[in-house]
Amino acid sequence: VDGRAREVAEAAFGETVGLADFVTWSEWSLARVGFRPSNCLAVVDVCRDELMSPVEEAIEECWGRAFQVGSLAGIVLTGRTGMQAALSHVPGEDGRHRFVAFCLPHIGIDADGTVGHVQRRGMHRASAACGALAAVRDRWLAGEQGLDPDRILDPDDIEMSLLWRRLSARLDPAEAPSLAELTVLTRDVAVDDLDRHIRLATGAEPVDVACISGVVVHLPDGEDRIAGVLARVTIDGVEHPLPH
Ligand SMILES: [Zn+2]
């Protein structure tokens, strides 16, 4: 384990936890509030990057097959219709429906401590993670901040157009966002959007939702850690923090 990269991660995002411990914690802490793999549908919001496969696999190993809601960078474009579909897959053994949602945007940190870089297998040079958020930053630097986002909806680049539209509205026009800031912002808007889509999809039957979010940090040698974990459950419409 490279100490430098982890130090940089914790300076940027706070305390980190290893992937296996993170998943184990999600299982035992949710069991105490009645969420078990047998009575929940896992909803996973992660970037499309194949670097996220180990995280998806670890979650599915514990929580079972997941409903995928992530687009580029982990922005949530599922909408009411997508969440209605997910809702119709939720087990309801005791008359209650439960989602356990994981919103986990990602970032790489290389052995030199460079934020946004990741060394991929078989590639000589470091590449960007998250590449989509690096592209958002490039757009900001290119001065696209002031453009009407509705006019730049590119049919051949829909996810990127909508990612830019969603994030740029929240960016300071005077100060370039760092990749770390964009990653945290993506987590925040993804949680908001997922919450709203679930609310819009919910019909007469109540749905209890556990929402766990954080930033996946890809460290050297393929080590993934989760930083800045936030977790809460909403049961019968009442929100409770989930200690971790
Ligand atoms: Zn990505």
Side-chain angles (χ1 to χ4, degrees):
V1 176
D2 191 273
R4 173 78 188 132
R6 188 163 154 185
E7 257 173 43
V8 170
E10 298 196 340
F13 302 107
E15 199 184 334
T16 66
V17 56
L19 175 58
D21 288 344
F22 170 74
V23 172
T24 303
W25 160 79
S26 74
E27 187 176 21
W28 69 250
S29 60
L30 285 172
R32 303 197 311 186
V33 286
F35 287 65
R36 292 186 306 280
S38 61
N39 66 17
C40 290
L41 178 68
V43 171
V44 170
D45 167 41
V46 297
C47 179
R48 297 186 178 282
D49 194 325
E50 71 278 5
L51 279 175
M52 288 303 293
S53 299
V55 175
E56 294 173 60
E57 284 161 15
I59 291 171
E60 290 195 320
E61 216 168 275
C62 174
W63 287 99
R65 279 190 198 165
F67 191 91
Q68 305 290 337
V69 298
S71 300
L72 285 182
I75 194 102
V76 177
L77 306 177
T78 322
R80 191 176 56 238
T81 305
M83 288 318 302
Q84 277 167 347
L87 210 50
S88 70
H89 309 166
V90 175
E93 56 173 28
D94 56 355
R96 301 203 67 81
H97 299 292
R98 295 180 184 86
F99 280 133
V100 52
F102 291 88
C103 291
L104 300 167
H106 70 143
I107 195 163
I109 300 179
D110 71 13
D112 299 327
T114 308
V115 174
H117 280 191
V118 68
Q119 194 64 51
R120 293 172 197 257
R121 208 171 41 181
M123 290 182 65
H124 294 298
R125 292 196 328 176
S127 59
C130 175
L133 292 182
V136 165
R137 188 163 189 277
D138 289 344
R139 283 190 178 206
W140 191 97
L141 294 171
E144 292 189 28
Q145 175 76 12
L147 301 181
D148 175 1
D150 287 330
R151 290 184 52 205
I152 53 165
L153 195 65
D154 179 350
D156 287 327
D157 207 3
I158 285 289
E159 288 188 17
M160 187 61 210
S161 299
L162 294 175
L163 172 64
W164 168 251
R165 176 185 176 173
R166 188 73 177 88
L167 296 191
S168 65
R170 300 272 298 263
L171 297 177
D172 182 344
E175 198 178 335
S178 70
L179 260 189
E181 287 163 351
L182 284 173
T183 312
V184 172
L185 176 60
T186 301
R187 180 265 290 277
D188 294 347
V189 302
V191 167
D192 284 354
D193 291 350
L194 189 60
D195 265 349
R196 195 177 60 260
H197 297 175
I198 291 174
R199 223 168 31 242
L200 291 169
T202 301
E205 297 193 19
V207 186
D208 295 337
V209 181
C211 181
I212 296 175
S213 66
V215 171
V216 173
V217 187
H218 308 294
L219 295 174
D221 303 319
E223 186 191 5
D224 291 332
R225 297 186 71 82
I226 323 299
V229 173
L230 295 176
R232 58 172 156 77
V233 289
T234 306
I235 297 171
D236 257 335
V238 180
E239 200 177 298
H240 312 270
L242 200 63
H244 61 90

